[in-house]
Amino acid sequence: MNPRIGVIGCGYWGSNHIRTLASLGYLAAVADINGPRAEGFGSEYDVPGLTPQQAVESDELDALVLALPPQFHAQTATAAIRTGKDVLVEKPIALSVSDAEATVALASDAKRIFMVGHVLRFHPAFEGLKKLVDDGVLGELRYIHSHRVGLGKFHTENDALWDLAPHDLSMILALTGKAPVDVHGEGAAMLDHLSDFAHLHMRFSDRLKGHLFASRLNPYRERRLSVVGTKAMAVFDDVEPQHRKLALYRHTLWQDNGAWAATQEEPEFLPIEAGMPLTRELEHFIDCIRTRNAPRADGNEAIDVLKILTAGTVRHDRTDR
């Protein structure tokens, strides 16, 4: 089966889906609320340019990728599932846990593939990091911290936490294999009533703790996930060049006469596979459509991410910045 896939949403990230699916040979239609934009992309890639409703109702499409403003994700995914389509929904899949749970339950009942666009789960460097954890190279995990900061983009519906943190939370959940038992959030709003700076503090079972810092109003760009274990530490730094994105630190610590001592080793930069994360993500989606296997980044993971976002969100009055 060669699934016929349409993309709803021809904005910045939707255009990346369109280009990648076309290069893989599976793009069958594009759609956008802006008719001329959809027609322009359709003409460029020689596929129909549709309205979102036409794409949802089309019998010529087997699956849809939804790259919309997040307030439209749940209702559009629900409509697509009801017309028998598999869906990949960009993050966040909804703005409330209840909407996400209803959509995921509907997909399960209808036996439709439901995948969430946590694209960094498919980054070769993250896959290498997860293998280090799974193989026990780091020992027992004790602390995970993530920094995702930079300047922009400034969304009117999403704060920095909801816009930037889902990718990191997805990776943290994949590494730990469990949701946190306690979440505490802090935030600061500089431009309007939405947090431009957001901190998440997470406590897991078995002494594991995590911390996340997201900012859209930062003078420098950082994309770093660090994992500290009882045997070693590792860092996935997506700002670094390809050959330095995954680093393993084999620092040694011991007690000497009641005091702690340590040796600080040079990082070991590990080789990672080639391939773009978005290409690998869409190839996985296509494989799930064909095999009917559950996606690696599924609806249950998306619900867990939304629960953490909801618990850690700081609300600001429009006059309280």
Side-chain angles (χ1 to χ4, degrees):
M1 172 189 176
N2 289 325
R4 301 164 297 177
I5 304 175
V7 178
I8 302 183
C10 299
Y12 167 72
W13 196 241
S15 66
N16 290 331
H17 278 289
I18 291 169
R19 182 180 65 254
T20 304
L21 280 171
S23 70
L24 294 172
Y26 295 96
L27 183 68
V30 297
D32 197 276
I33 194 172
N34 183 320
R37 179 184 295 170
E39 292 170 4
F41 275 95
S43 176
E44 180 178 354
Y45 290 97
D46 194 27
V47 295
L50 309 174
T51 67
Q53 183 174 351
Q54 288 173 331
V56 167
E57 296 176 351
S58 174
D59 293 330
E60 302 300 315
L61 297 174
D62 304 302
L64 290 172
V65 173
L66 308 184
L68 299 162
Q71 61 268 31
F72 302 115
H73 278 161
Q75 68 183 58
T76 310
T78 296
I81 293 165
R82 285 177 173 160
T83 59
K85 294 177 177 59
D86 298 318
V87 292
L88 188 161
V89 187
E90 271 304 326
K91 55 83 183 170
I93 65 167
L95 295 183
S96 72
V97 173
S98 60
D99 283 348
E101 289 176 334
T103 306
V104 172
L106 178 65
S108 177
D109 291 343
K111 293 182 171 51
R112 294 293 93 198
I113 297 298
F114 187 93
M115 182 169 164
V116 58
H118 290 156
V119 68
L120 290 183
R121 287 286 304 279
F122 300 88
H123 196 297
F126 174 74
E127 292 178 342
L129 174 60
K130 188 173 187 308
K131 189 174 189 305
L132 290 176
V133 173
D134 293 344
D135 290 348
V137 175
L138 304 187
E140 296 181 22
L141 300 189
R142 287 290 181 257
Y143 185 62
I144 301 176
H145 62 97
S146 170
H147 284 201
R148 184 166 296 272
V149 301
L151 185 62
K153 303 174 179 176
F154 302 100
H155 299 282
T156 58
E157 298 290 336
N158 280 355
D159 64 10
L161 181 66
W162 283 72
D163 182 45
L164 298 173
H167 289 310
D168 298 274
L169 291 175
S170 170
M171 291 189 289
I172 290 171
L173 291 174
L175 293 175
T176 62
K178 54 192 171 185
V181 297
D182 183 64
V183 177
H184 171 69
E186 300 177 20
M190 303 294 292
L191 300 180
D192 52 28
H193 65 290
L194 299 174
S195 290
D196 300 297
F197 305 89
H199 291 263
L200 274 183
H201 307 276
M202 294 168 283
R203 181 173 60 86
F204 296 81
S205 59
D206 302 327
R207 299 174 58 193
L208 174 63
K209 292 185 178 181
H211 167 263
L212 183 150
F213 175 44
S215 171
R216 62 185 182 183
L217 199 60
N218 207 70
Y220 58 86
R221 186 171 182 267
E222 188 175 12
R223 301 286 188 268
R224 183 180 295 155
L225 179 69
S226 302
V227 183
V228 178
T230 55
K231 293 181 179 178
M233 309 173 187
V235 177
F236 165 29
D237 190 340
D238 205 15
V239 175
E240 289 285 345
Q242 185 79 358
H243 68 284
R244 293 173 61 94
K245 285 187 184 294
L246 180 59
L248 176 65
Y249 295 81
R250 299 184 186 271
H251 301 325
T252 305
L253 294 95
W254 70 94
Q255 278 192 311
D256 186 6
N257 294 325
W260 284 101
T263 61
Q264 186 167 342
E265 306 295 337
E266 290 297 317
E268 177 185 349
F269 294 104
L270 304 181
I272 60 176
E273 295 182 9
M276 297 297 293
L278 182 58
T279 301
R280 295 162 69 99
E281 177 187 63
L282 288 170
E283 287 174 338
H284 180 69
F285 181 49
I286 292 164
D287 183 67
C288 290
I289 294 172
R290 286 173 167 162
T291 63
R292 312 313 294 171
N293 290 331
R296 189 186 310 170
D298 63 8
N300 291 324
E301 177 184 286
I303 291 171
D304 286 340
V305 168
L306 281 178
K307 287 179 177 178
I308 298 172
L309 293 174
T310 301
T313 296
V314 176
R315 305 292 180 186
H316 304 276
D317 293 334
R318 292 183 180 271
T319 58
D320 178 18
R321 303 192 185 174

